[in-house]
Amino acid sequence: MGVPSTALFTDQYELTMLRAALTAGTAERRSVFEVFTRRLPDGRRYGVVGGTGRVLDAVENFRFEPAVLNFLRERGIVDEETLEWLSGYRFSGDIWGYPEGEVYFPGSPIMRVEGTFAECVLLETVILSILNHDSAIAAAASRMAAAAGDRPLIEMGARRTHELAAVAASRAAYVGGFATTSDLAAGFRYGIPTVGTSAHAFTLLHDSERDAFQAQVNTLGRGTTLLVDTYDVTEAVRTAVEVAGTELGAVRIDSGDLLLVAHRVRRQLDELGATETKIVVTSDLDEYAIASLAAAPVDAYGVGTQLVTGSGHPTSSMVYKLVARAESADPQAPLVPVAKKSTGGKTSVGGRKWAARRVDAHGVAEAEVIGTGPVPGELVDRQLLGELVKGGEVVAREPLDAARERHTRARAGLPMSATQLSRGEPVLPTEYLHETPGS
């Protein structure tokens, strides 16, 4: 895939646990880890799985190269026995997960990683860092897309976050419903449609706003988007139509009372005969601002800061917990459920789990059902986890558009209250079905 090694995208204690487990003879015990979140961000109705494709790339490229091994040796982080084990590391287990773009709820086993303890424990941090970030951005994007309705959304937050996070955010936003991005690295790496024309600096560079507009139209054509709020908006709109004619593609408004200004600009454009010219608004938008503009004559929204920071929730608070392990290192040893039982709200449910979404008579989702025993017959065809990696080989890589389309379907299958922006509980309850002794 041409992706650099991801082996050091981890925490030191993953390697010290490995070292101790090798010494204790427990490293080769079959183990099952699950990724889940105990709760959704405060007030959110659903989560969105984002980053699955990036996780597959990260697992595939989790290799301890000579320079990495030397770093670990020089720091004294692990001993020579562990370094020897790491030198041949290749994940050879299985990974199951909710497909990218699917929605999830508290307790949903979003990803299940199975293999030896040694090979699975090393993947904890890299898997969580990807899923926590991308799912947070995808969830924010989904809320914004729901608020925008049929109006397209432009992702333009690269300058508001780390340069690599910006690319991941563009990808997650596309899954969540955004139509385009301004980030060329995201377009190059993931094939996301890219857009962009000019900033205020381009207008300020020229001796007059007319000169700037003329230069842009001469270069990019009459269908371009002209930024009209550098000076006086009314005068800029008049000049824009004079320069580009009524074939002007769009005008962009980046400041002021967007609701009021959009109405004024639409009326002015229509009076000037530019009835097909679209209006794009930007300026620190979030889902609430987008919803407040539903009645405005706006054709598209550009979103930056609030999107790439998860609109107030930059992480999904997912955890990676051991839920079952073998009684011994014997490959045939039975699995035993294990779970954290400490106080303080950080408990977990033991056992290798399945998940399904129960629907009502109208086909609308009504519950997230999670179990450790047999899957009830009526839920067999409603199961959510699919095989992503089998025997260390990726088996479920897919085009990004498939995840985007899946999310649209998944959100549409939720109760209507899922897309309300008012604060509330998860739109679906989580129900647990436990295996009974002797079953």
Side-chain angles (χ1 to χ4, degrees), residues 5-28:
S5 170
T6 53
L8 288 185
F9 291 162
T10 190
D11 290 305
Q12 181 168 311
Y13 80 168
E14 316 291 4
L15 299 186
T16 53
M17 281 192 286
L18 168 64
R19 177 180 179 180
L22 287 171
T23 300
T26 54
E28 297 305 314

Side-chain angles (χ1 to χ4, degrees), residues 210-244:
R210 179 180 294 274
D211 289 347
F213 288 173
Q214 190 66 66
Q216 185 172 328
V217 169
N218 288 348
T219 306
L220 301 179
R222 296 176 185 273
T224 191
T225 299
L226 295 176
L227 181 59
V228 295
D229 72 328
T230 305
Y231 305 116
D232 179 82
V233 173
T234 301
E235 181 60 31
V237 171
R238 182 181 301 112
T239 302
V241 176
E242 288 176 358
V243 170

Side-chain angles (χ1 to χ4, degrees), residues 351-395:
R352 182 181 187 272
K353 301 173 194 67
W354 52 263
R357 189 160 299 142
R358 191 173 68 238
V359 300
D360 63 18
H362 303 287
V364 178
E366 63 178 12
E368 193 87 340
V369 185
I370 299 169
T372 56
V375 182
E378 69 274 14
L379 294 177
V380 169
D381 293 333
R382 305 293 305 176
Q383 293 188 76
L384 294 162
L385 282 89
E387 196 165 30
L388 304 174
V389 176
K390 182 178 180 61
E393 299 296 324
V394 174
V395 295

